[in-house]
Amino acid sequence: MADQPQKDERYKARQQKIKAEVDARVDAAQEEKGLFLIITGNGKGKSTSGFGTIARAVGHGQKCGVGQFIKGTWACGERNLLEQNGVDFAVMATGFTWETQNKEADTAAAQETWAACKQMLADDQYDVVLLDELTYMVTYGYVELDEVVEAIANRPPMQSVVVTGRGAHRTLIEMADTVSEVRNVKHAFESGVKARQGVDW
Ligand code: ATP
Ligand code: MG
């Protein structure tokens, strides 16, 4: 069995190698531009990740905007906090589509919110824009995919955009710089636990 000094040496050598590799990758990444991120998949954590990014940017003094498609019946904790910190919100006026079951009204509400989002995507004052649950608007046909592609592609070069929601369209996935898929391993709701304020909304 190797004695302790030998183990320490090997540990040090391994760490040095990792550091050299990381440093090389950091040096190689020279491009500076706003990023397009997608957080998709069936597991919990997409919107919280999007809002986490907004909180991070606000912490650096950056200007942020949030478009919320599919508003629930509950007030959203993130909005309460972030609006007080200068984040602009465009929130869809209707509740979940499966509750209203009125395609015309849902389309109009989605279009109104999308119009406000397009303004943010065209405004270089915004450093980061979160389009929460936008994927569903494309899936249901409330917002045209081509319009989304155009607005995101033509946004100010230093502006970052985060899109959340299940089933992100493959065209958006191809366009994005960073895509993460949150996989559902298990969720409390499946074992009959109620959604919880502060955790789920
Ligand atoms: P969160 O807002 O918690 O990050 P999310 O954005 O990943 O969740 P959504 O599909 O937008 O997920 O759903 C929002 C609500 O549904 C939250 O209350 C969340 O806890 C719940 N939820 C998310 N994923 C699941 C799941 N796999 N099963 C049951 N409920 C879920
Ligand atoms: Mg969500």
Side-chain angles (χ1 to χ4, degrees):
M1 230 172 73
D3 59 13
Q4 198 55 39
Q6 267 180 325
K7 278 187 188 166
D8 290 348
E9 260 325 294
R10 279 213 302 272
Y11 175 80
K12 210 172 145 191
R14 233 177 11 244
Q15 293 305 104
Q16 273 170 350
K17 189 165 170 267
I18 293 170
K19 184 178 175 343
E21 284 165 6
V22 171
D23 286 350
R25 283 210 298 272
V26 170
D27 286 347
Q30 286 299 327
E31 194 182 355
E32 270 218 53
K33 63 167 194 170
L35 297 169
F36 172 22
L37 298 92
I38 297 178
I39 315 290
T40 191
N42 294 334
K44 170 177 162 57
K46 300 175 290 294
S47 296
T48 37
S49 169
F51 279 109
T53 305
I54 294 295
R56 184 176 275 181
V58 168
H60 287 293
Q62 296 181 9
K63 176 72 188 162
C64 298
V66 175
Q68 271 188 304
F69 297 89
I70 310 191
K71 180 176 151 279
T73 40
W74 305 307
C76 143
E78 293 93 334
R79 185 179 177 189
N80 299 342
L81 175 76
L82 295 170
E83 261 186 343
Q84 290 169 20
N85 285 279
V87 178
D88 296 328
F89 273 74
V91 179
M92 215 165 121
T94 53
F96 290 105
T97 185
W98 47 91
E99 280 172 11
T100 58
Q101 292 168 5
N102 182 341
K103 177 144 187 178
E104 216 171 287
D106 283 349
T107 306
Q111 284 291 327
E112 198 183 318
T113 306
W114 172 239
C117 293
K118 270 200 295 193
Q119 283 184 8
M120 293 179 194
L121 294 169
D123 186 343
D124 66 5
Q125 284 183 57
Y126 289 96
D127 298 295
V128 185
V129 176
L130 167 62
L131 305 171
D132 191 34
E133 323 294 356
L134 178 69
T135 58
Y136 305 103
M137 302 300 101
V138 173
T139 306
Y140 300 150
Y142 297 159
V143 176
E144 287 290 325
L145 173 67
D146 289 353
E147 273 201 43
V148 174
V149 168
E150 195 186 318
I152 293 177
N154 295 328
R155 74 190 192 279
M158 292 302 149
Q159 185 186 86
S160 294
V161 183
V162 185
V163 168
T164 77
R166 298 176 190 205
H169 195 284
R170 68 173 189 283
T171 304
L172 296 177
I173 288 183
E174 276 162 23
M175 245 184 108
D177 299 291
T178 299
V179 180
S180 295
E181 187 171 342
V182 185
R183 186 170 66 89
N184 181 45
V185 176
K186 59 168 141 172
H187 193 290
F189 186 69
E190 291 156 11
S191 36
V193 185
K194 272 185 158 182
R196 198 154 174 80
Q197 186 180 41
V199 175
D200 290 303
W201 81 91

